[in-house]
Amino acid sequence: MFDPRVEEHAKIVVNHSCKIKKDDFVVIMGCPEARDLTIQIVKELGRVGADYVVLDNESAVFRAFLLASNDDAIKLSKQVLNLFKDSDVLINLSQATTSNSHELSDVPPHKLQLWRTAMNPISEVIMTKRWNITLQPTSALAQDANMSFEAYSDFVYSAVIRDWQKMESEMKVLSEKMQTADQVRILGKETDISMSVKGRKPIIDSGEKNLPGGEVFTSPIDASVNGRVYFDLPIIFMGYEVSGCRLVFKDGVVVESSAEQGSEILKEMLAIDDGAKRVGELGIGMNRGIDRFTRNILFDEKMGDTIHMAVGLSFEEAGGTNKSAIHIDMLKSMKDGGAIYFDSERIYEHSRFAWER
Amino acid sequence: MFDPRVEEHAKIVVNHSCKIKKDDFVVIMGCPEARDLTIQIVKELGRVGADYVVLDNESAVFRAFLLASNDDAIKLSKQVLNLFKDSDVLINLSQATTSNSHELSDVPPHKLQLWRTAMNPISEVIMTKRWNITLQPTSALAQDANMSFEAYSDFVYSAVIRDWQKMESEMKVLSEKMQTADQVRILGKETDISMSVKGRKPIIDSGEKNLPGGEVFTSPIDASVNGRVYFDLPIIFMGYEVSGCRLVFKDGVVVESSAEQGSEILKEMLAIDDGAKRVGELGIGMNRGIDRFTRNILFDEKMGDTIHMAVGLSFEEAGGTNKSAIHIDMLKSMKDGGAIYFDSERIYEHSRFAWER
C-alpha cells in the first residue's frame, strides 16, 4: 500500500536536500525496496525538469557477483565511474534501505574489503557533488529497530518530514555558540568529560547530505579530552554490538575502558591503531522526531537529547587532525540528568537547550 | 520462492545468447520483477569475470517521470547514451518483464511517442553491440496468457531452456533450403498464398538476440505476394487486438481485408502508409517448447507449427526493401492441415518438417 508521506519525503530530497534544478543529471542508487520513494523522486525530477538514471544497487545482486568472482575481477569499471563523474547529483537510497541487513554476512570479508577499496574512487567523486543518503522504511529495518513496520514508518517520517528551515536556524544558534567556545563539558550519569573545540569548525547537518539530518558536530582538539564518559546506548560497528561502554580519557587518550557487553570487541576496536584511542568527533543530536534508538546510525546520531563521540578518524572539514582506519560513533542519552556547558554557559540541561527555556 | 530454472536461464543468456567473456562490460536493463534472473545473470558474470551495471528501467518509474514532465524535458541524457556506447553487451530484461502490461496506459500517447523518439539513439547503439531480450515470468504475464503463474513459468522455461545447438542445426537446414528457393507457397485453412524469396537472406533466430529464439525469417520480394491467407491467431498491436484476420494479396498489395473482431482497427493499420499494405516479413516458427499463444510476441512468433507474416517494415539485413512506420506480425497455426512448399519441395506438412519424416 502506497504511503502518501513518501511523496513529501521525495520533495524534501529533491528540493531541500539536493536543491535539484532544471537540466541537472541525477544518479539514483536504488533497490527494489526503495521503489515507492524512487518513483516519487523521479516524479519530482520530472516536475523540476531534471534528468536521471536509476541504478539497481541491491545488496543481493553484488553479493552474487562477489561470491562468484575471482578476487581480481572485483574492480571498478571506468564506465560506472564515468557515469558518476558526469552527474550533478547523487541520491543514495540503496545503502540504507535493505530487505535484510545481514545480506552480505556470508561474503568472505576480504572480498568485501576488495570491493570497498575498489569503490573508493566513486566515493571521492560523490564528495565533489551534491549528494544525499536517505531510506524507505522496510520490514527488515523495523525488525532491527525492534518495531512493527507501521510504527517504524511513523518513526521514519516524523524524523524526515520536518520544518528543516526552523531546525537549521536552531542548529545555527548552537553552532555559533560552539564556534566561539573553547571548553565543552558534558555532565551526566557516570559522566564528566571536557574537551577544547577552540578553532575547530562546527558543522550543521540540516537534512542535506543525510536525511534525516539534525546534528551539530565537530572534531575537538583530541589531545584536550579529559574525564570519564558512560555511553548507555549500544555501539554498532561492522555487525558487532557493544553496550554499556565506559571510557576514561587522560590528555586525549583512552586510559581505561569497559563494557557491560562486548568488552573484548571494544578492546579490539580501540587497539586497531593509535588514532582509535582518540576522539575524532563530538556531535550533539537535535532531531526530536528521532525519539528512540533503532540500530541505524543515519537516525541514531541525530536523536534528540543525545550526544555522541566517535573514536578514530576526525573530519578534515571541521579542522580535525586525528587519523585512524576506523570511526566508531558512541551514543549517550542526555535525558537522565545530562548537561552540556560551552565554557561557563549551560547550553543544555533538563532536555532543553538554552534558547528553549 | 526461488525457481532453480532461473539459474539455467541465466547461463544461457550469458554464455549462449551474449557470449560474454572476461572484461566485457555488460549493461543490464532490469526491473524489480526480474530480480531473481538479474541475480543469477550477475552471478554468471562473476564466474566469467565480466563487469556490469544494473539499470532499473521499471515502467512505473518512467511513467511517473513522463506524467510529471513538460514535453521539452523528455530527452535522452548524454550520460545515459555514453553508458550504452561504452558497453560491450546489453541485456534487456525490463522491456518484456512486467508487473502490469498496462502500466503506461494513462500516459498521453504524444509523450510516449516523444520518449520513444528520444530513446532511438540508444536503440541504434544497441544494434552495434551484442544484445539480448528475455524475461522472467510474472503473474501479469501469466494473466495476459490466460494461465496460472506456475503453468506460465513451466511454459517459459520449456521455451527458453532448450538444446540451442540442436535447434540451430535444424534451423540451418531450413534456412539453407530457403536460401536456394524461389517460390514459397503456404497452404492451409482458407489459405493459399505464394511469394518469391529469391535473392533474399533467411535469418536464423537461435536464441541469441531473443530468448526464446526459434524462427527462420526473411523479407520476401513484396511485389511477388499473391493469394489469400487466414490468420487464425490474434494480432496484438499497440494494445489493440484483431482476431480472425483474412487478407487477399494481388501483386504484393492487400486488395481485400476482413476480421472477425477489430476489422475497423485492421483497416486503420493497413491504411497508415503505402508500405503497411505490403509484406515486410515471412517467418516460420520452430520452437516446439512454445505450444500456445500467450499474447507476447517474444514467444508467439517462435511458436512451433506456426507461420507469421508481417505487413509493413521489412528487414534490411534480409534484403527487404519495403518501408513503413509499422511492422505488424500476424500469426497462423499450421496444425490444422497447413503445408509449406519451397518451389516443388514440400518442406512442412502434418506438423512435421521434411527432415522429421
Side-chain angles (χ1 to χ4, degrees):
Chain A
M1 199 174 53
F2 176 67
D3 188 324
R5 295 171 295 187
V6 177
E7 189 170 4
E8 288 184 74
H9 184 178
K11 287 182 179 182
I12 294 170
V13 172
V14 171
N15 302 308
H16 169 74
S17 304
C18 298
K19 301 180 176 39
I20 294 171
K21 51 190 193 307
K22 195 167 173 348
D23 295 328
D24 275 344
F25 180 72
V26 182
V27 175
I28 300 173
M29 289 171 269
C31 58
E33 289 73 25
R35 174 184 217 171
D36 290 344
L37 183 54
T38 301
I39 289 174
Q40 295 303 318
I41 288 173
V42 165
K43 189 205 279 186
E44 193 62 19
L45 295 181
R47 285 194 189 121
V48 169
D51 210 343
Y52 72 97
V53 68
V54 183
L55 306 185
D56 179 358
N57 268 22
E58 193 192 350
S59 46
V61 175
F62 62 81
R63 171 185 173 278
F65 184 79
L66 292 176
L67 285 179
S69 296
N70 287 328
D71 290 357
D72 63 359
I74 301 172
K75 57 187 196 298
L76 175 61
S77 62
K78 65 176 192 307
Q79 292 90 339
V80 171
L81 184 60
N82 286 343
L83 185 68
F84 281 84
K85 279 185 181 166
D86 293 345
S87 68
D88 301 298
V89 179
L90 292 309
I91 299 175
N92 187 341
L93 307 180
S94 55
Q95 182 172 324
T97 308
T98 183
S99 59
N100 176 6
S101 54
H102 297 280
E103 187 59 29
L104 300 177
S105 60
D106 54 358
V107 178
H110 83 276
K111 288 199 171 191
L112 281 177
Q113 193 51 51
L114 281 172
W115 176 78
R116 285 198 194 93
T117 307
M119 296 303 131
N120 263 342
I122 290 189
S123 308
E124 284 165 21
V125 167
I126 291 176
M127 290 301 149
T128 67
K129 313 278 182 181
R130 280 169 282 153
W131 59 272
N132 174 263
I133 294 183
T134 192
L135 64 74
Q136 178 173 330
T138 66
S139 294
L141 292 166
Q143 183 170 313
D144 269 346
N146 302 336
M147 291 168 86
S148 70
F149 177 71
E150 184 176 346
Y152 183 69
S153 297
D154 290 346
F155 164 81
V156 166
Y157 296 117
S158 77
V160 162
I161 302 173
R162 300 195 74 76
D163 183 342
W164 287 106
Q165 240 79 51
K166 180 159 173 281
M167 281 188 64
E168 189 168 359
S169 65
E170 288 178 7
M171 287 189 277
K172 263 193 185 149
V173 175
L174 187 69
S175 88
E176 279 162 16
K177 285 176 183 289
M178 192 190 273
Q179 182 76 76
T180 55
D182 175 356
Q183 290 292 317
V184 175
R185 185 175 175 195
I186 293 158
L187 294 167
K189 190 181 173 192
E190 298 186 45
T191 298
D192 184 352
I193 190 164
S194 297
M195 62 202 77
S196 172
V197 293
K198 196 173 180 180
R200 297 299 165 92
K201 191 179 168 215
I203 296 173
I204 290 173
D205 172 0
S206 57
E208 296 189 331
K209 296 185 162 77
N210 282 191
L211 194 64
E215 61 162 329
V216 174
F217 63 97
T218 194
S219 290
I221 296 169
D222 55 88
S224 73
V225 182
N226 274 294
R228 67 193 181 119
V229 54
Y230 174 47
F231 298 106
D232 53 330
L233 293 165
I235 299 162
I236 315 284
F237 185 68
M238 303 274 287
Y240 295 106
E241 191 162 329
V242 173
S243 60
C245 168
R246 291 175 174 83
L247 299 181
V248 177
F249 286 87
K250 190 164 191 306
D251 297 333
V253 182
V254 174
V255 292
E256 280 178 46
S257 70
S258 70
E260 288 154 16
Q261 278 191 354
S263 58
E264 282 312 303
I265 293 159
L266 176 65
K267 286 195 198 312
E268 281 176 35
M269 289 174 181
L270 296 172
I272 282 177
D273 51 31
D274 277 354
K277 280 182 259 337
R278 293 169 172 271
V279 171
E281 177 188 4
L282 169 68
I284 299 172
M286 296 187 71
N287 187 334
R288 290 225 171 84
I290 306 172
D291 57 358
R292 57 194 295 168
F293 184 76
T294 59
R295 288 187 168 64
N296 184 334
I297 196 64
L298 182 62
F299 287 73
D300 296 336
E301 66 180 0
K302 289 98 174 183
M303 200 187 328
D305 301 305
T306 66
I307 62 104
H308 58 279
M309 291 166 59
V311 292
L313 188 65
S314 60
F315 298 107
E316 267 183 47
E317 68 268 37
T321 56
N322 195 42
K323 304 287 179 203
S324 174
I326 58 165
H327 176 99
I328 303 176
D329 288 297
M330 301 178 173
L331 270 84
K332 177 175 185 57
S333 169
M334 298 294 279
K335 280 192 173 163
D336 196 8
I340 305 170
Y341 285 80
F342 286 178
D343 299 323
S344 63
E345 185 183 2
R346 198 181 54 196
I347 204 81
Y348 173 96
E349 196 180 41
H350 301 311
S351 298
R352 289 205 150 66
F353 286 97
W355 60 89
E356 294 175 322
R357 283 194 290 262
Chain B
M1 199 174 54
F2 176 66
D3 188 325
R5 294 171 295 187
V6 177
E7 189 170 3
E8 288 184 74
H9 185 177
K11 286 182 180 183
I12 293 171
V13 173
V14 171
N15 302 309
H16 169 73
S17 305
C18 298
K19 301 183 173 39
I20 294 171
K21 52 191 194 305
K22 193 167 175 348
D23 296 328
D24 274 343
F25 180 71
V26 182
V27 175
I28 300 172
M29 290 171 268
C31 59
E33 289 72 25
R35 176 183 215 169
D36 290 343
L37 182 53
T38 302
I39 289 173
Q40 295 304 318
I41 288 173
V42 165
K43 190 205 276 186
E44 193 62 19
L45 295 181
R47 284 194 190 122
V48 169
D51 210 343
Y52 74 97
V53 68
V54 183
L55 306 186
D56 179 358
N57 269 22
E58 194 194 351
S59 47
V61 175
F62 63 81
R63 171 186 173 277
F65 184 78
L66 292 176
L67 285 180
S69 296
N70 287 328
D71 289 356
D72 64 358
I74 301 173
K75 57 186 197 295
L76 174 61
S77 61
K78 65 175 192 304
Q79 292 89 342
V80 171
L81 184 60
N82 285 341
L83 185 68
F84 281 84
K85 279 185 181 166
D86 293 346
S87 68
D88 302 298
V89 179
L90 291 309
I91 299 175
N92 187 341
L93 307 180
S94 56
Q95 182 172 323
T97 308
T98 183
S99 59
N100 175 6
S101 53
H102 298 278
E103 188 59 28
L104 300 176
S105 59
D106 54 358
V107 178
H110 83 276
K111 287 199 172 191
L112 282 177
Q113 193 50 52
L114 281 171
W115 175 78
R116 285 200 194 95
T117 307
M119 295 304 132
N120 263 341
I122 290 188
S123 308
E124 284 166 20
V125 166
I126 291 176
M127 291 302 148
T128 68
K129 313 279 183 181
R130 279 168 282 154
W131 59 272
N132 175 264
I133 294 185
T134 191
L135 63 73
Q136 178 174 331
T138 67
S139 294
L141 292 166
Q143 183 170 313
D144 270 345
N146 303 335
M147 291 169 85
S148 70
F149 177 71
E150 184 176 345
Y152 183 70
S153 298
D154 290 346
F155 165 80
V156 166
Y157 295 117
S158 77
V160 161
I161 301 172
R162 299 195 75 76
D163 183 341
W164 287 105
Q165 239 80 50
K166 180 159 173 282
M167 281 188 63
E168 190 168 359
S169 65
E170 287 177 5
M171 287 189 277
K172 264 192 186 151
V173 175
L174 187 68
S175 88
E176 278 162 16
K177 285 176 184 288
M178 191 188 275
Q179 182 78 75
T180 55
D182 175 356
Q183 291 292 317
V184 176
R185 184 175 177 195
I186 294 160
L187 294 168
K189 191 182 172 192
E190 299 186 42
T191 297
D192 183 353
I193 190 165
S194 297
M195 62 202 77
S196 172
V197 293
K198 195 174 178 180
R200 297 299 165 93
K201 192 181 167 208
I203 297 173
I204 289 174
D205 172 359
S206 57
E208 296 189 333
K209 296 185 163 78
N210 282 190
L211 194 64
E215 61 162 327
V216 174
F217 63 97
T218 193
S219 290
I221 296 169
D222 55 271
S224 73
V225 183
N226 274 294
R228 66 191 181 123
V229 54
Y230 173 47
F231 298 107
D232 54 330
L233 293 165
I235 299 163
I236 316 284
F237 184 69
M238 301 277 284
Y240 295 106
E241 192 163 327
V242 174
S243 59
C245 168
R246 290 174 175 85
L247 299 181
V248 177
F249 285 88
K250 189 163 191 307
D251 297 335
V253 181
V254 175
V255 291
E256 280 178 50
S257 69
S258 70
E260 287 154 16
Q261 278 191 356
S263 57
E264 283 311 303
I265 292 158
L266 175 64
K267 287 195 197 311
E268 281 176 36
M269 288 174 180
L270 296 172
I272 282 177
D273 52 29
D274 278 354
K277 279 183 262 332
R278 294 170 170 270
V279 170
E281 178 187 3
L282 168 68
I284 299 172
M286 297 186 70
N287 187 334
R288 291 226 170 83
I290 306 173
D291 58 358
R292 57 194 294 168
F293 185 76
T294 60
R295 290 186 167 62
N296 185 333
I297 195 64
L298 182 61
F299 287 72
D300 296 336
E301 65 179 0
K302 289 98 175 185
M303 200 186 328
D305 301 304
T306 66
I307 62 104
H308 58 280
M309 291 166 59
V311 292
L313 188 65
S314 61
F315 298 107
E316 269 183 45
E317 69 267 39
T321 57
N322 194 41
K323 303 289 179 202
S324 175
I326 58 165
H327 176 100
I328 303 176
D329 288 297
M330 301 179 173
L331 270 84
K332 175 173 187 57
S333 168
M334 299 294 280
K335 279 192 175 165
D336 196 8
I340 305 171
Y341 285 80
F342 286 177
D343 299 322
S344 62
E345 185 181 3
R346 198 181 54 198
I347 203 81
Y348 173 94
E349 196 180 39
H350 301 311
S351 298
R352 288 206 152 67
F353 286 96
W355 60 89
E356 293 176 323
R357 283 195 289 261

